[in-house]
Amino acid sequence: MLERFISVSSEEEALAQLNAHGEELQILAGGTDLMVQLQQSGQRTRRLLHIEKIPGLQKISYNGETGIGALCTHRQIVESTLLAHYRSLRQAAAQVGGWQTQMVGTLGGNICNASPAADTLPPLLVHDARITLVSQARGSRVVDLEKFLLGRRHTDRHHDELVSGITLSQPPERGSDIYIKVGRRSATEVAIVGLAACVALDEHRRLIEDVRLAVCSVGPVPKRLYEIENLIKGQEISDSLLDEAGEMLLELIEPIDDVRASKKYRAMVAPRVLREAITCCAQNASG
Amino acid sequence: MSLLGENLVRTDAVGKLTGEARYTVDYDGKDLLHGSLLRSPVPAGLIKAIDTTVAESLPGVRCVITAKDAPDARAGWVLREQALFARKQVRFEGEVIAAVAADTPEQAREAVAAIILDLAETQAVGDMETALAENAPLVHPEWKSYQPVSGEDYPRHGNIASELMADDDAVDVAFENADLIVEDEFTSNRQYQAYIEPKSAVGIYRDGRYTIHTGHQYPFNVRDRVAQYLDVRPSQVRVIGHSIGGGFGGKLDTGLEPYAAILSKFSGGRPVKIVNNRTEDILTCPSRENAVIKMRSALDKQGNLLGRELICHMDNGAYSGEMAFMPSVIFHLAGSVYKVGNIRVIARLVYTNTAPTGAMRGVSGVYFCAFQERHMDHIADELGVDRREYRLRNLVGNGDTLLSGQVLDDADLLRKGFEKMEEAAPWSQLNDNKKPWHGIGICAGTWITNSMPGSVQLILNEDGTVTVVTAATDNGSGAVSMGITQIVAEHFGLPADDIVVTMPDTDVAAYDGGSQGSRTTHIVGRAAGIAADELKGMIFDVASGMLEAGRDDLELVNGQVGVVGYPDSRISLGDIAMTATWTRGPLSASGSYTTAPVPYNPGCASGMLFPFFPTPTYHVHLAEVEVNPVTGNVRVVRYIVVQEVGRVINPAGVRGQIQGAVAQGIGHALYESLRIRDSRYLERSLEAYRLPLAVDMPEVEIITMEHPHALGPFGAKGVGEPAIILAPATVACAVSDAIGRPFNSIPITPEDVLEAIVGKEKQL
Amino acid sequence: MELTFKVNGHPERLELEGHETLLDVLRDDLNLTGTKEGCREGECGACTVLVNGRAVDSCIYAAMAAQDMEIETVEGLATSDGLNSLQNAFAESGGVQCGFCTPGFLMMLTALLDKYPHPDRVQVRDALSGNICRCTGYAQIEEAVERCIRQRTIE
């Protein structure tokens, strides 16, 4: 009989299991969302591959670029000094559920879960995150997070692959980033809208030299807002520019009604959050 | 040393802090079976057939029962309208259709899933507007055949489950002569009690009697309701209380108890435990009702209130529970805070095909106060008068009467409350220093101390301790574990450790009205005082013989009796008890108490009237909120409560009640609501139903006004509820002030706020 | 499948199917009913226990993931001298009312104070974002933490 719960203690072991039974295995990497889904759907027969004991995937490192092991927990990210320049990611991680969720839930798990409301995804997107996947048969490959996210709870991970880590681009000079989450309460919310921004100013700290923006909870999958970035890049921040950006945002998102908020509210609040995020970043970057 | 006003640690603290406390869900035993219920998947429908054959054949299943197995009886708190199992018609999503007992919870759930239900969905009456429309389908086509539990029938017809009218022709005259009429319509949504312990119950049928284990606010109500459902005499049902994981009114009527009881009967008397999961708990909770109130006031040129008309529609859901009484809460409150001239009150309770509503902390008063206070702000704004000033101008005072004619003896306490508030937070200073996007609100209210009866038997044990036998329940408030314990200890000069209070048991203790309406400390404390006085008399009789001294020369100090002026003459209560037990028999005494009715005018209203507004208390609240102009989120940054309490028995307990009640009020005002779409709740989990978190709560500044009540235990009155009745009101007034727009709907959502902000921005 | 782990210092060995939650195993198999279920979806924190010192919602934690780990529950807090300083502070501050959320709060705060012995009130509130108390409105729980810190400093 096949075991319902397989715990592996090395990457090789995990890859061997995935190679042999990948299609029927559900990877458990924290499981703060998965275990809720399993219990609610009553899928008692799903087989779980528990990978939390694989050594080496829990590290945050810097070797010319910043790397985050797939099994790093949200709490680790919040508290990491190596991620000091990725404030938006730390802000997002600090707002994923309560501390219990943050202590158990992993970044790799959050990415592969591919929730439309995943808090960490917008900041990862603005920092041009790349995902490293490994498989026994085909070795490793690196994919841009943006391409990795295919749809609502749907990613480019093949059944035999394991996400081993995430790398982030260098934070820009004269730059600042932020994650703003809209929720009803001050914590433990599923985002009504989440927006990350990373803004860098030119040498005179006047014009926007670089800007990267990403949103979650306003469409089936978190995404970058390139059109708005292109609109703003090279410009000086002004009310009219931000108004235009806000209008453009409404063209780019697909907010829906759900139990957390109405489509109307999402459409009303998203441009305001965008304005707030860009303004805050520019202010921080100028000082 | 007196124990009154001391922060004694609650007697159940150690058990609750170590995990030893046993809640119903922790009940275990070798022969324990597990129950599960088949609930209606639709809000309205007709049952054509139920096939339980497959379910019965599954492994571990002990019985599957439906309406055909239950007595043909209807039960209810006020009106006997509900059957144990839906027989033909189902009237709300979640109504019970069948029950299963099995060896494991999984087997029970699987058997429930295997019951084949042939159900034809019918048109549901999803809201009050639909229910009141002409030719609306009736939620209870057979409403005429229902009988009240006791007394005469009361006004109800069709989809109107209860109606109260207080009409005064002078109201029309007031409106005809008015120089200004101010009119508002308010709505408020349902609030879930959201105790952290979902409901559970254990039933055991043995020797022809039912024994129920349940952590319940009102064990005698369980006894009576189970007896109605199962068609036995109430004394055939024994209810044993357990630790209660919160109630807030949600555990005042029966939930799972009668099902556990009947399942045990059909399982050969083995105990059966049923536990709600959180979704079941939400779907079937007797939530605070949603309501719509139209309020209009007639004013003269000087802004004096000439008259008011108030039409209130309250959503009853599919069955009435205790809701039939609630229209009279609106009636009493209508004249309890401000002199508003002649009043017309029309309050209707409306049947809908939704989960039955019920009591939640501050029943009906919470939204009434929110609306009355918003209306007062509106009038003040129309008149260009300061909101606080306008309230002070119209406050009721000593000797003023309610609409019922009941005289308010101590209503000057409202004005005193404003004075205390002014000392803590000077109004003009707050207004002058208000930051952008900040708003403040100030509100006043009157609330009751529920009058229902309670009793206590005190036993002096041979070791000198005192046992308190009572069916009073501690729902977490501390009313028993602090209040009653401290009151009894004080009477005998004993440390609290020498007082043992029994858990509720309807076979052992006399009737108690349950932990509701802020009553336990006041009512049961008074009963304890009566018993203590009698027991002390017996103690002095015995001691008089032992000390060879006259009774009148004796005193009871620190648990010892001695002759006044002779410190060496002390004998312990233990010695007295021992002597008594072997000479005249053990010492025990009982006390019972219920608030005596207050004179009122019986012609004041027609309808189901709760005739008086017992032992009122008086309150003033102030809130400061901060609005996030980007998102519309509101944060309460400061909250002050001035609360009249009679007498503080335990300051930490009083503080816990006030802080906790304000938290629930803020939750109701800003975060919580059970919304109904197509007759079903949208919020079905604690992820969707947002309860306030530590990060959302301000620390409430509390000012207690002591005004000892002549009949209260050492002067104590009710404390548990008053702080919630004004919290949504005060927050709503503060948010309206912050934005400069009226917020007349509870809860106030970020969407409402942002819409108002955007509306204003567009105007600029 | 076999699960071996330590619970409150005692080695335990259980036979499981594989998908059981840690909460169910603690309550049903080990009869440690101090840990409570409030929502079964990781929202209320009533089921919080420590797994190798980390506070986790045991209702959404796979029991098998605790293989070879050390579990601490509310039953393990008190010492032979009685309540520990955190429990005592809860009792004295009025941090307990109905008590159903209390074990979860105690375990979360145990984890917090272990890592940050002197948190300020903002940190305490933040750390309690995954624990719901419906009775107290939180103030006396926060005060209990402060009382506990003071007590531990004196000791």
Side-chain angles (χ1 to χ4, degrees):
Chain A
M1 186 186 121
L2 292 169
E3 298 278 25
R4 284 194 193 168
F5 188 97
I6 303 154
S7 192
V8 290
S9 47
S10 72
E11 199 172 305
E12 295 70 43
E13 228 184 302
L15 295 181
Q17 284 288 346
L18 287 168
N19 198 46
H21 313 288
E23 290 205 10
E24 46 189 298
L25 285 174
Q26 174 73 52
I27 296 178
L28 182 68
T32 50
D33 201 2
L34 174 66
M35 288 297 289
V36 179
Q37 292 170 31
L38 283 186
Q39 294 197 64
Q40 285 172 356
S41 63
Q43 290 174 340
R44 299 256 163 186
T45 51
R46 280 296 266 294
R47 300 180 62 212
L48 298 177
L49 180 68
H50 179 242
I51 62 168
E52 288 167 43
K53 290 183 178 164
I54 300 177
L57 298 186
Q58 292 91 347
K59 288 203 187 82
I60 298 171
S61 57
Y62 181 77
N63 286 328
E65 55 181 9
T66 300
I68 305 174
L71 293 176
C72 280
T73 64
H74 296 100
R75 203 69 225 152
Q76 248 179 298
I77 289 167
V78 175
E79 289 166 3
S80 165
T81 46
L82 276 177
L83 295 175
H85 295 291
Y86 301 95
R87 189 169 69 124
S88 56
L89 181 61
R90 295 170 65 201
Q91 287 172 323
Q95 293 182 73
V96 176
W99 274 35
Q100 290 92 328
T101 301
Q102 293 167 20
M103 283 184 177
V104 175
T106 62
L107 188 62
N110 202 227
I111 292 169
C112 292
N113 195 35
S115 157
D119 289 307
T120 62
L121 296 182
L124 288 172
L125 286 167
V126 302
H127 289 295
D128 294 323
R130 281 155 296 140
I131 311 297
T132 303
L133 297 113
V134 281
S135 81
Q136 196 178 49
R138 286 166 290 128
S140 75
R141 65 179 177 123
V142 176
V143 193
D144 287 347
L145 172 61
E146 206 182 352
K147 297 204 173 101
F148 182 70
L149 299 170
L150 297 180
R152 190 189 146 80
R153 300 202 178 271
H154 180 38
T155 69
D156 183 38
R157 187 184 75 83
H158 298 176
H159 291 302
D160 65 338
E161 285 179 316
L162 182 72
V163 170
S164 62
I166 297 97
T167 37
L168 304 178
S169 65
Q170 284 288 14
E173 274 182 60
R174 299 177 302 277
S176 171
D177 65 331
I178 194 169
Y179 177 66
I180 298 181
K181 175 173 182 171
V182 181
R184 186 85 169 257
R185 299 182 292 202
S186 313
T188 316
E189 285 278 309
V190 176
I192 289 169
V193 173
L195 186 141
C198 181
V199 173
L201 298 179
D202 70 350
E203 292 171 334
H204 310 291
R205 298 190 192 258
R206 199 171 64 85
L207 301 180
I208 293 182
E209 190 172 271
D210 187 21
V211 56
R212 283 171 260 155
L213 304 163
V215 282
C216 68
S217 280
V218 282
V221 64
K223 67 172 186 179
R224 279 280 288 268
L225 302 167
Y226 290 111
E227 293 85 344
I228 303 176
E229 295 173 10
N230 292 334
L231 172 78
I232 294 175
K233 226 172 272 179
Q235 306 285 317
E236 189 173 354
I237 291 188
S238 67
D239 263 353
S240 58
L241 181 69
L242 292 172
D243 282 345
E244 205 179 327
E247 278 163 33
M248 196 177 260
L249 176 63
L250 293 181
E251 303 292 315
L252 298 171
I253 58 177
E254 306 158 73
I256 56 159
D257 281 314
D258 66 18
V259 73
R260 288 180 271 280
S262 70
K263 175 180 173 176
K264 189 174 157 204
Y265 177 65
R266 287 188 162 98
M268 198 159 45
V269 79
R272 302 173 80 88
V273 170
L274 176 70
R275 170 185 287 262
E276 177 79 4
I278 295 172
T279 313
C280 278
C281 286
Q283 244 166 31
N284 289 339
S286 69
Chain B
M1 192 193 87
S2 172
L3 297 177
L4 298 177
E6 291 299 312
N7 281 331
L8 257 59
V9 170
R10 52 185 306 141
T11 52
D12 57 6
V14 172
K16 288 176 173 177
L17 285 160
T18 55
E20 283 168 18
R22 301 293 273 189
Y23 297 82
T24 316
V25 69
D26 304 326
Y27 186 99
D28 202 6
K30 223 171 82 181
D31 56 349
L32 182 67
L33 298 176
H34 299 268
S36 185
L37 303 176
L38 173 66
R39 297 176 179 281
S40 172
V42 301
L46 289 171
I47 299 170
K48 292 176 162 172
I50 307 173
D51 183 352
T52 59
T53 42
V54 177
E56 279 162 19
S57 70
L58 291 176
V61 173
R62 300 292 155 179
C63 68
V64 181
I65 52 180
T66 63
K68 68 174 169 37
D69 306 302
D72 186 13
R74 287 182 184 275
W77 190 318
V78 180
L79 188 69
R80 296 191 67 151
E81 61 188 355
Q82 190 166 10
L84 190 57
F85 297 99
R87 190 172 293 270
K88 225 174 79 191
Q89 204 177 352
V90 290
R91 296 183 172 87
F92 70 97
E93 185 195 13
E95 183 163 8
V96 179
I97 295 171
V100 172
D103 292 348
T104 70
E106 294 74 31
Q107 288 170 337
R109 281 194 292 268
E110 277 158 22
V112 164
I115 297 172
I116 300 161
L117 181 64
D118 186 359
L119 184 66
E121 193 166 354
T122 56
Q123 194 196 338
V125 177
D127 55 50
M128 294 193 281
E129 211 182 325
T130 310
L132 294 175
E134 261 184 79
N135 303 321
L138 291 180
V139 176
H140 292 269
E142 65 279 54
W143 66 271
K144 277 183 190 159
S145 68
Y146 297 159
Q147 297 295 317
V149 170
S150 64
E152 280 178 35
D153 209 342
Y154 49 92
R156 55 188 185 87
H157 43 93
N159 283 335
I160 294 180
S162 173
E163 186 169 48
L164 185 133
M165 301 235 219
D167 208 352
D168 185 344
D169 292 341
V171 175
D172 294 326
V173 178
F175 278 96
E176 275 162 31
N177 297 334
D179 294 304
L180 175 67
I181 294 175
V182 177
E183 197 165 350
D184 285 305
E185 181 168 330
F186 302 97
T187 59
S188 79
N189 218 333
R190 294 188 183 192
Q191 184 179 21
Y192 171 40
Q193 290 86 353
Y195 31 76
I196 304 300
E197 177 203 24
K199 286 182 185 172
S200 57
V202 174
I204 305 164
Y205 180 74
R206 214 161 277 166
D207 298 330
R209 295 187 80 212
Y210 295 99
T211 299
I212 313 273
H213 291 264
T214 181
H216 202 276
Q217 291 176 257
Y218 191 178
F220 275 92
N221 207 26
V222 176
R223 180 197 69 171
D224 294 351
R225 196 79 62 255
V226 169
Q228 287 175 340
Y229 277 121
L230 303 183
D231 201 19
V232 296
R233 293 196 295 180
S235 54
Q236 291 302 96
V237 180
R238 175 186 185 185
V239 180
I240 298 174
H242 284 247
S243 294
I244 307 170
F248 318 111
K251 294 173 184 168
L252 278 173
D253 206 346
T254 47
L256 301 168
E257 294 84 3
Y259 302 102
I262 194 168
L263 283 172
S264 175
K265 185 179 183 183
F266 280 81
S267 304
R270 286 175 67 176
V272 178
K273 177 162 81 174
I274 314 180
V275 182
N276 268 352
N277 65 35
R278 185 56 75 176
T279 299
E280 286 176 291
D281 208 82
I282 291 175
L283 290 185
T284 59
C285 70
S287 66
R288 183 191 308 290
E289 73 276 15
N290 52 308
V292 180
I293 295 190
K294 285 184 185 147
M295 209 183 275
R296 63 186 188 121
S297 296
L299 299 117
D300 68 10
K301 278 208 180 67
Q302 290 75 40
N304 295 313
L305 281 157
L306 305 174
R308 178 170 287 178
E309 183 182 69
L310 200 160
I311 301 170
C312 179
H313 288 170
M314 312 150 93
D315 192 339
N316 181 61
Y319 296 99
S320 304
E322 69 170 318
M323 286 301 294
F325 287 123
M326 295 312 149
S328 63
V329 173
I330 304 295
F331 169 75
H332 287 301
L333 289 176
S336 69
V337 187
Y338 304 109
K339 287 180 276 201
V340 293
N342 300 297
I343 319 183
R344 170 180 295 138
V345 179
I346 302 172
R348 294 192 182 102
L349 186 65
V350 182
Y351 281 121
T352 57
N353 285 118
T354 61
T357 55
M360 180 172 172
R361 200 176 198 170
V363 283
S364 307
V366 174
Y367 59 80
F368 176 82
C369 288
F371 302 162
Q372 169 158 282
E373 294 299 319
R374 282 290 310 127
H375 189 59
M376 291 300 276
D377 270 8
H378 185 186
I379 297 171
D381 287 348
E382 290 279 340
L383 296 170
V385 181
D386 174 73
R387 295 175 284 150
R388 177 176 180 274
E389 169 56 28
Y390 191 67
R391 284 177 169 80
L392 286 172
R393 216 191 269 179
N394 291 288
L395 276 185
V396 295
N398 286 2
D400 283 327
T401 56
L402 298 175
L403 299 189
S404 64
Q406 178 180 337
V407 178
L408 296 171
D409 294 323
D410 304 318
D412 281 352
L413 286 165
L414 281 171
R415 194 167 297 276
K416 197 175 160 203
F418 275 95
E419 286 162 16
K420 291 267 182 200
M421 186 62 83
E422 187 65 11
E423 287 165 25
W427 180 247
S428 58
Q429 211 172 305
L430 284 178
N431 275 288
D432 294 346
N433 300 338
K434 208 161 56 184
K435 293 184 208 152
W437 300 109
H438 280 234
I440 50 178
I442 189 164
C443 298
T446 307
W447 194 243
I448 56 160
T449 309
N450 180 308
S451 61
M452 289 180 70
S455 83
V456 160
Q457 185 199 4
L458 296 178
I459 300 165
L460 183 66
N461 297 310
E462 290 71 25
D463 62 359
T465 60
V466 174
T467 295
V468 184
V469 181
T470 178
T473 57
D474 195 315
N475 55 23
S477 68
V480 175
S481 64
M482 294 169 166
I484 303 307
T485 306
Q486 244 162 297
I487 287 165
V488 172
E490 179 71 12
H491 278 290
F492 293 94
L494 290 171
D497 288 349
D498 286 355
I499 309 301
V500 177
V501 188
T502 60
M503 286 303 273
D505 185 335
T506 60
D507 265 11
V508 174
Y511 196 88
D512 182 87
S515 45
Q516 58 170 328
S518 312
R519 67 174 275 286
T520 301
T521 303
H522 178 76
I523 297 283
V524 184
R526 172 74 182 161
I530 293 167
D533 285 344
E534 197 188 330
L535 184 58
K536 274 192 275 188
M538 297 175 183
I539 289 168
F540 285 138
D541 278 348
V542 176
S544 156
M546 292 169 73
L547 290 168
E548 296 179 345
R551 249 192 71 146
D552 297 343
D553 296 330
L554 300 180
E555 60 179 359
L556 172 56
V557 180
N558 295 335
Q560 293 182 316
V561 176
V563 182
V564 179
Y566 293 87
D568 294 342
S569 65
R570 308 257 173 261
I571 49 175
S572 73
L573 286 177
D575 287 345
I576 295 169
M578 190 68 85
T579 303
T581 296
W582 300 108
T583 55
R584 52 168 282 176
L587 297 186
S588 80
S590 298
S592 294
Y593 182 66
T594 181
T595 315
V598 176
Y600 74 105
N601 165 22
C604 62
S606 64
M608 179 67 143
L609 186 64
F610 205 81
F612 69 112
F613 193 75
T615 326
T617 54
Y618 302 92
H619 317 283
V620 178
H621 286 204
L622 186 144
E624 179 173 351
V625 301
E626 179 182 35
V627 172
N628 179 333
V630 175
T631 61
N633 285 82
V634 176
R635 253 191 97 67
V636 181
V637 293
R638 190 173 186 198
Y639 203 98
I640 312 175
V641 171
V642 177
Q643 180 156 331
E644 192 250 316
V645 297
R647 170 83 182 261
V648 174
I649 303 291
N650 185 312
V654 169
R655 180 180 167 205
Q657 287 308 291
I658 293 176
Q659 174 83 27
V662 169
Q664 291 178 358
I666 289 175
H668 189 32
L670 298 176
Y671 307 114
E672 302 176 35
S673 85
L674 283 177
R675 292 173 298 166
I676 297 167
R677 293 282 181 283
D678 302 326
S679 310
R680 297 164 191 269
Y681 286 142
L682 285 182
E683 283 80 9
R684 290 163 172 261
S685 68
L686 289 190
E687 189 224 300
Y689 189 86
R690 286 119 151 166
L691 293 161
L693 305 172
V695 284
D696 298 309
M697 273 300 297
E699 176 155 3
V700 178
E701 298 163 49
I702 296 166
I703 300 155
T704 47
M705 290 195 290
E706 290 201 317
H707 179 77
H709 184 260
L711 296 174
F714 302 105
K717 298 197 214 175
V719 168
E721 292 174 299
I724 196 173
I725 66 157
L726 286 177
T730 317
V731 171
C733 289
V735 177
S736 302
D737 179 48
I739 314 281
R741 292 283 167 104
F743 286 88
N744 291 345
S745 184
I746 301 285
I748 298 167
T749 67
E751 179 165 348
D752 300 335
V753 175
L754 198 54
E755 246 178 69
I757 293 173
V758 169
K760 274 186 81 170
E761 285 170 350
K762 281 185 183 153
Q763 272 181 358
L764 291 174
Chain C
M1 319 185 55
E2 194 178 85
L3 170 65
T4 57
F5 61 169
K6 272 191 180 170
V7 181
N8 298 327
H10 300 288
E12 303 283 357
R13 177 176 300 168
L14 296 166
E15 193 56 38
L16 301 183
E17 288 183 9
H19 277 199
E20 293 88 344
T21 64
L22 181 55
L23 174 67
D24 288 345
V25 166
L26 291 171
R27 285 184 58 86
D28 301 340
D29 296 321
L30 298 174
N31 209 22
L32 291 168
T33 53
T35 303
K36 302 301 186 197
E37 174 182 323
C39 67
R40 223 171 174 86
E41 54 169 350
E43 283 290 326
C44 77
C47 66
T48 306
V49 302
L50 305 189
V51 177
N52 278 7
R54 290 191 306 177
V56 312
D57 287 321
S58 63
C59 72
I60 52 166
Y61 194 88
M64 288 303 301
Q67 188 76 261
D68 301 328
M69 303 232 191
E70 306 245 358
I71 313 299
E72 290 162 77
T73 71
V74 69
E75 287 92 345
L77 290 181
T79 65
S80 50
D81 297 334
L83 301 182
N84 76 9
S85 53
L86 181 63
Q87 290 169 309
N88 245 324
F90 261 70
E92 285 168 7
S93 302
V96 188
Q97 286 192 26
C98 87
F100 207 76
C101 74
T102 307
F105 272 85
L106 289 171
M107 298 321 288
M108 181 68 236
L109 290 167
T110 299
L112 175 75
L113 294 173
D114 200 34
K115 196 159 180 192
Y116 303 99
H118 299 279
D120 61 23
R121 198 166 266 219
V122 174
Q123 283 175 298
V124 171
R125 287 183 177 182
D126 185 42
L128 293 178
S129 294
N131 290 81
I132 296 173
C133 171
R134 187 57 155 167
C135 295
T136 64
Y138 305 100
Q140 282 158 291
I141 292 175
E142 291 160 19
E143 191 187 297
V145 180
E146 283 158 12
R147 189 186 286 256
C148 172
I149 295 167
R150 280 200 305 275
Q151 187 58 38
R152 287 184 182 180
T153 310
I154 293 166
E155 282 164 6

